[in-house]
Amino acid sequence: MRKPLLLPLLVFVGGAFAGPLLYWVMPLLPRYDLLYYGVGPLIWPIQLIGPLMGVLGTENYFLLVGLNVLLYATVGTGVVVAAPDKRLLLLAGTLLEIGIVILALAAARFQLRDLLGHDGTMLIALLIAVAFYGALVFSVRLLVVRMGPQQQ
């Protein structure tokens, strides 16, 4: 990977720490069910395998954070490589957002009624997560364009 692409990748991977930081800050908030049950699993997708870790006999949350960083690095590499080309970046960003929608639908047992809910909490969480990933993709695009020659 070219050296100018390292900083945008680090910015994207930095997003991997938003989920764990959110979980550490949540007890300080007066009402955090939207963040805990909605936004948290969408921006920390590896956290969903937490119950499986109990079955495996480990409660090492550093492993969960490390796996989340690995997932973000993998997805971020694709986004960073696609960032110089607007069409490829649009495709990569769209695929990422579709994955988040599928993750939210899976959390709602693929029932649109449960996703919308009686108060729309899960839908609000989905919109927050889509904005979060969109901001990551947008910041990567800005950095790539500013750091290197633009290819079109």
Side-chain angles (χ1 to χ4, degrees):
M1 181 176 288
R2 293 187 343 240
K3 194 169 187 171
L5 298 181
L6 187 59
L7 180 62
L9 180 60
L10 288 175
V11 168
F12 195 92
V13 171
F17 295 104
L21 288 174
L22 184 65
Y23 276 94
W24 289 331
V25 170
M26 272 193 269
L28 304 174
L29 302 174
R31 183 168 181 252
Y32 58 84
D33 55 344
L34 168 67
L35 296 174
Y36 187 81
Y37 297 110
V39 178
L42 295 177
I43 64 173
W44 189 8
I46 295 296
Q47 181 263 348
L48 294 174
I49 69 165
L52 177 65
M53 292 184 72
V55 172
L56 297 175
T58 181
E59 292 187 12
N60 188 350
Y61 289 101
F62 289 109
L63 178 63
L64 284 176
V65 174
L67 289 172
N68 204 50
V69 168
L70 181 64
L71 175 67
Y72 272 70
T74 304
V75 173
T77 301
V79 170
V80 168
V81 168
D85 184 357
K86 292 178 188 174
R87 289 186 184 123
L88 281 177
L89 183 66
L90 182 62
L91 176 65
T94 301
L95 290 175
L96 175 62
E97 300 296 357
I98 288 171
I100 297 308
V101 170
I102 290 171
L103 188 62
L105 282 170
R109 298 177 307 274
F110 292 99
Q111 298 290 326
L112 189 59
R113 179 180 43 92
D114 290 341
L115 179 65
L116 298 176
H118 66 282
D119 60 353
T121 302
M122 191 61 188
L123 184 61
I124 293 169
L126 174 62
L127 293 175
I128 291 170
V130 164
F132 171 75
Y133 287 108
L136 282 178
V137 170
F138 182 71
S139 62
V140 165
R141 167 72 179 168
L142 285 178
L143 283 171
V144 167
V145 167
R146 290 190 186 264
M147 295 179 73
Q150 187 173 1
Q151 302 171 0
Q152 293 196 18

